[in-house]
Amino acid sequence: MGPRSIGDCPLLTVRLTFFSLLILFLIIASNFENIAASSCRVELCSIQFRRAIQAQTDLPLEDLSYSRYHYCTVLRSYADCIRATARSCRGDLSYHSIYTLVMQWLDKKNCTIITAKEMPEHPQKQPLKPKLLVPSKCKFRSSHSGPVKFSHCGLFGDPHLRTFYDEFQTCRTLGAWPLIDNPYIAVQVTNKQVSPESKATGTTKVTVLIRDHRPCTKEKTYEAETNSLPKVFVDGTNGTINDATVFIEDKEPGTHVEIHARHMSTHIIIRQIGKYLTFAIKIPEEIARLGEGSEALQMCLKGCPQRELINYGQLVHVAMPVQEAVNICTKWNATDFYFDACVFDLITTGDKSFSKAAGDARRDVYYLNPSFARGKNRTYFLRETIGYSDNGTPENSAPGRPLIQFVIVICLWLSFCKVIV
């Protein structure tokens, strides 16, 4: 006997089929708004805008018309991108807020008038002075054959530490603590308690000592404190890119400086974000690991003392809901350890500047050397400490609820409506 037609299906089966289809329709209808909202891509426009602005931070300040023209061009592209998402973002509140804000910027900067004119000519730059070469004896060379291998250490946020061995830790370390201390360089940080009810501490002072290495450099000391990131060393000198072995670059006055030490191929980044400082260093591996056998503490080399490690599971003070912290950290493109550190800081302190610190710390890793991106993947904080399963990164997130519900209903429908042979 061949398979029966739908008309031959028992009445119970037909009713179950109708009932299953009704459930499917209701589930899809109830989730339609969420699905539509998830298709809104206005955030991508914001990301492109930020990248375009960052790419033009070197615009010549001596010709404001040239800078304004390019700023308005980028802003106009931002507005066009937002308009293109109008159909999918119609019910998204953030879309309307961003669009209104961008239009206000365009009006405030008179961009309609500025972009209507022809692009101003690029100002003639003054010829650079001849570059003075660093003496051969002041160029770092590995004692081993082959290219120089580098190590990275970073400190940011609560503070969170990434050691030269790519170990990730969160430490209390109240007071002054040494990060590095070897014959070439010494770095010390001072941390203060964020609030009376929180165990979290933040870095408020960074001291860098470049040791005497004649004839390449005399001893140089740099001191950065909250609201004071000088562009000179303690002795009043800063060197220049063209004529010194050791020099300072004032990237963003008052908030971002970089120290270069050519004789040891070392690059240091110090930032102020909110009320606290961050530190990152790229240094040859064989210099970084000097003092491995000694008992002297170097947190970049040996990590935090066991008694100073913070257990994520012992959250004494909760200042922000987990989901809100996850959403904020996702917007800063923090991933892996930096994402967990960001969420932890927001939950325990409520200070949103820590999210930018985590995002910039991750960005500094790639800037100093893309190979530093290697290392351990996610920590266990969100999943096993506070029971939050979404890791905050869309590419690793679990399937959405509407899709799971759809699959379940289809399976039920097929099992109930199986044609009797």
Side-chain angles (χ1 to χ4, degrees):
M1 179 183 293
R4 295 183 181 182
S5 64
I6 293 297
D8 297 329
C9 192
L11 180 60
L12 176 61
T13 303
V14 173
R15 288 179 176 173
L16 288 173
T17 301
F18 175 77
F19 181 69
S20 300
L21 288 173
L22 180 60
I23 292 176
L24 174 62
F25 173 77
L26 291 175
I27 289 175
I28 293 177
S30 66
N31 286 286
F32 178 79
E33 184 178 347
N34 291 335
I35 295 172
S38 65
S39 64
C40 181
R41 293 292 182 265
V42 69
E43 181 60 26
L44 294 178
C45 298
S46 300
I47 292 173
Q48 293 173 3
F49 172 69
R50 288 196 295 268
R51 288 175 178 171
I53 290 297
Q54 290 172 355
Q56 296 190 28
T57 53
D58 59 344
L59 288 176
L61 297 178
E62 64 271 16
D63 191 328
L64 294 179
S65 63
Y66 183 76
S67 300
R68 288 170 183 163
Y69 178 87
H70 280 270
Y71 176 78
C72 286
T73 301
V74 173
L75 200 56
R76 179 66 64 185
S77 298
Y78 189 16
D80 292 341
C81 179
I82 294 174
R83 289 193 192 96
T85 67
R87 186 173 182 180
S88 61
C89 296
R90 190 170 300 164
D92 191 289
L93 183 60
S94 64
Y95 160 79
H96 295 284
S97 300
I98 294 174
Y99 180 73
T100 301
L101 184 61
V102 172
M103 297 309 294
Q104 290 175 351
W105 288 348
L106 285 168
D107 183 60
K108 185 177 180 180
K109 298 293 184 182
N110 293 323
C111 286
T112 302
I113 298 175
I114 292 175
T115 55
K117 300 177 180 179
E118 293 185 2
M119 176 178 171
E121 294 183 1
H122 196 295
Q124 295 294 323
K125 293 184 178 181
Q126 296 296 323
L128 295 175
K129 295 180 181 179
K131 186 173 181 179
L132 301 179
L133 298 178
V134 177
S136 177
K137 65 181 71 175
C138 294
K139 292 181 180 180
F140 180 81
R141 291 180 175 81
S142 173
S143 60
H144 309 289
S145 59
V148 177
K149 294 182 180 180
F150 290 93
S151 293
H152 167 76
C153 177
L155 187 77
F156 67 96
D158 193 356
H160 306 281
L161 174 70
R162 179 175 182 167
T163 72
F164 288 137
Y165 290 100
D166 292 329
E167 296 173 335
F168 301 102
Q169 299 177 345
T170 299
C171 319
R172 186 172 296 103
T173 54
L174 185 64
W177 293 83
L179 293 183
I180 307 170
D181 189 2
N182 62 49
Y184 286 83
I185 182 174
V187 179
Q188 179 177 281
V189 295
T190 301
N191 304 320
K192 291 186 177 181
Q193 193 168 355
V194 173
S195 64
E197 59 274 357
S198 173
K199 290 185 177 181
T201 59
T203 301
T204 57
K205 184 175 181 179
V206 176
T207 302
V208 178
L209 172 65
I210 308 292
R211 300 193 188 280
D212 190 296
H213 196 91
R214 307 289 179 91
C216 303
T217 182
K218 298 179 181 178
E219 183 172 283
K220 298 285 184 181
T221 301
Y222 180 81
E223 291 184 353
E225 295 186 75
T226 299
N227 299 325
S228 176
L229 269 69
K231 57 184 178 181
V232 295
F233 294 103
V234 172
D235 63 5
T237 63
N238 68 347
T240 67
I241 295 176
N242 293 327
D243 63 9
T245 303
V246 178
F247 62 92
I248 296 174
E249 281 189 280
D250 192 21
K251 289 286 190 177
E252 296 176 21
T255 61
H256 178 185
V257 299
E258 299 186 12
I259 302 173
H260 300 259
R262 288 173 169 170
H263 66 290
M264 55 178 176
S265 290
T266 294
H267 188 173
I268 297 170
I269 300 175
I270 301 174
R271 299 177 184 268
Q272 177 172 335
I273 302 173
K275 298 182 292 184
Y276 304 103
L277 306 179
T278 69
F279 170 84
I281 186 171
K282 170 188 173 184
I283 189 170
E285 187 177 283
E286 60 185 273
I287 294 180
R289 298 183 179 182
L290 289 173
E292 265 184 337
S294 71
E295 295 182 0
L297 176 62
Q298 298 186 60
M299 292 202 303
C300 278
L301 184 63
K302 302 178 180 181
C304 302
Q306 190 67 30
R307 68 180 185 278
E308 297 295 329
L309 293 175
I310 290 180
N311 182 352
Y312 279 170
Q314 297 175 349
L315 295 178
V316 176
H317 177 69
V318 178
M320 180 183 292
V322 177
Q323 186 60 59
E324 183 181 353
V326 167
N327 292 340
I328 293 173
C329 295
T330 300
K331 290 180 181 179
W332 282 102
N333 294 324
T335 59
D336 303 320
F337 167 74
Y338 301 93
F339 180 79
D340 278 353
C342 175
V343 173
F344 176 76
D345 286 353
L346 293 186
I347 292 175
T348 54
T349 69
D351 187 342
K352 294 182 180 180
S353 68
F354 280 127
S355 62
K356 185 178 188 304
D360 283 351
R362 175 182 174 274
R363 187 175 66 175
D364 287 343
V365 170
Y366 283 89
Y367 169 61
L368 291 174
N369 192 331
S371 66
F372 293 151
R374 71 188 188 280
K376 298 178 182 178
N377 201 2
R378 298 296 308 285
T379 59
Y380 60 87
F381 169 50
L382 290 177
R383 185 180 67 255
E384 302 197 6
T385 303
I386 59 179
Y388 190 88
S389 59
D390 185 1
N391 62 16
T393 52
E395 61 271 21
N396 293 328
S397 58
R401 243 176 131 181
L403 176 60
I404 295 175
Q405 292 171 339
F406 177 80
V407 172
I408 292 174
V409 171
I410 288 297
C411 292
L412 287 172
W413 180 34
L414 291 176
S415 64
F416 281 131
C417 296
K418 183 177 181 181
V419 178
I420 300 174
V421 179

